């Protein structure tokens, strides 16, 4: 089972992908998380990616395909993974189709989470993330129990560099230009599902489970 989460920044891809990963016992592969880990480690890729990410632009397709190919073990390729924030360009989508085809598998679900811009800005400006385990919080909708500390691992909960208003606007524009065309790319496949991203996290998750169940 290979599942793709598609949707604008802040639509809830990470929140829902973490949950679905536990529910289906499939690895959660977030290119955003992998890039942030590279930045923290100070690696060559991290140094190149940091400035691009902080500006709200996309990291090059070459770098992304390298880190994805490196991350996918043979075992994952057989059992399936949940992709979050990847593919993000038509080039990446073509490359993923080719990669899966070589392994004799294909995409079983494309979950496109749709949310209006006003709500997106509200969710992103209040987002906080755990610097240790990557858990996702929101100052209003999902605050940490102890202010500033992660419920799960106790590490500091911080604001992402790219969650400041001017960068949020840039990311939304980049999404429209580079990633929104993927909706048309996947739209006519039976695997495609448009998921309404409004409402509480549990309600959105129930819609996702329903869509994925279809595919059994
Ligand atoms: P990435 O980390 O993928 O960021 P993104 O796509 O901008 O997505 P976000 O993480 O911002 O949002 P999300 O949809 O996961 O929402 P979340 O669940 O956190 O990428 C970052 C950067 O890395 C990119 O800009 C780019 O530079 C680079 N990059 C990554 N992948 C790349 C690729 N493939 N190609 C090229 N470059 C790449 O939720 C948001 C907030 O809302 C949270 O606070 C959450 O608690 C809250 N929330 C969630 N659901 C609900 C709900 N139902 N009700 C109320 N609040 C909710
Ligand atoms: Zn944590």
């Amino acid at each position: 089972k290979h599942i793709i989460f598609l949707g604008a920044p802040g639509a809830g891809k990470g929140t829902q992908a973490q949950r679905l990963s536990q529910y289906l016992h499939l690895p959660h592969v977030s290119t955003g998380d992998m890039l942030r880990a590279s930045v923290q480690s100070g690696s060559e890729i991290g140094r190149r990616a940091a400035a691009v990410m902080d500006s709200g632009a996309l990291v090059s397709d070459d770098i992304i395909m390298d880190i994805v190919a490196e991350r996918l073990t043979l075992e994952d390729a057989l059992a399936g993974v949940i992709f979050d924030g990847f593919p993000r360009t038509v080039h990446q989508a073509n490359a993923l189709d080719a990669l899966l085809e070589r392994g004799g598998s294909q995409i079983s679900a494309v979950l496109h989470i749709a949310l209006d811009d006003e709500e997106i800005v509200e969710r992103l400006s209040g987002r906080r993330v755990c610097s240790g385990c990557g858990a996702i919080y929101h100052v209003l909708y999902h605050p940490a129990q102890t202010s500033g500390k992660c419920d799960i691992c106790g590490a500091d909960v911080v604001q992402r560099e790219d969650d400041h208003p001017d960068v949020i606007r840039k990311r939304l524009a980049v999404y429209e230009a580079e990633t929104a065309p993927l909706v048309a790319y996947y739209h006519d496949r039976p695997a495609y599902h448009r998921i309404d991203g409004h409402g509480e996290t549990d309600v959105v998750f129930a819609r996702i489970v329903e869509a994925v169940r279809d595919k059994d």
Side-chain angles (χ1 to χ4, degrees):
K1 238 185 206 313
H2 293 282
I3 296 173
I4 292 173
F5 274 95
L6 186 63
K13 302 180 299 294
T15 299
Q16 299 295 339
Q18 285 179 359
R19 269 184 87 157
L20 193 63
S21 159
Q22 290 173 354
Y23 182 81
L24 295 176
H25 307 290
L26 290 176
H28 173 206
V29 176
S30 158
T31 44
D33 287 351
M34 292 192 295
L35 289 167
R36 280 183 290 277
S38 302
V39 171
Q40 271 190 330
S41 76
S43 71
E44 170 64 21
I45 284 185
R47 275 198 299 276
R48 280 158 66 190
V52 179
M53 293 169 76
D54 290 352
S55 79
L58 293 184
V59 173
S60 78
D61 289 334
D62 289 349
I63 290 183
I64 296 295
M65 290 318 300
D66 280 353
I67 64 170
V68 168
E70 199 175 300
R71 167 68 182 76
L72 283 189
T73 63
L74 186 60
E75 204 180 314
D76 293 340
L78 293 173
V81 298
I82 296 174
F83 290 110
D84 161 16
F86 169 86
R88 236 213 222 13
T89 62
V90 170
H91 180 94
Q92 291 175 22
N94 278 312
L96 178 63
D97 279 338
L99 192 74
L100 293 180
E101 209 170 298
R102 276 203 298 278
S105 64
Q106 55 178 355
I107 296 160
S108 56
V110 177
L111 304 172
H112 168 209
I113 307 191
L115 192 68
D116 64 59
D117 278 10
E118 204 182 320
E119 178 87 17
I120 283 174
V121 172
E122 196 162 304
R123 288 193 189 179
L124 287 180
S125 42
R127 173 166 58 187
R128 298 293 182 271
V129 293
C130 174
S131 55
C133 72
I136 302 166
Y137 297 92
H138 189 283
V139 289
L140 298 177
Y141 306 133
H142 180 29
Q145 307 282 346
T146 309
S147 174
K149 299 289 175 200
C150 178
D151 298 346
I152 299 163
C153 74
D156 287 341
V157 167
V158 299
Q159 186 166 32
R160 261 169 56 174
E161 282 301 328
D162 58 354
D163 277 347
H164 297 285
D166 50 330
V167 188
I168 291 174
R169 276 194 297 277
K170 171 75 189 287
R171 286 161 61 208
L172 288 172
V174 168
Y175 173 80
E176 284 307 324
E178 311 262 359
T179 310
L182 289 184
V183 174
Y185 181 91
Y186 289 121
H187 190 270
D188 294 334
R189 299 190 190 186
Y192 176 86
H193 292 271
R194 186 179 189 280
I195 307 286
D196 179 3
H198 296 87
E200 292 192 1
T201 303
D202 288 353
V203 174
V204 177
F205 187 65
R207 292 178 189 132
I208 288 171
V209 168
E210 178 112 346
V212 173
R213 188 175 289 141
D214 255 29
K215 301 281 129 199
D216 281 344

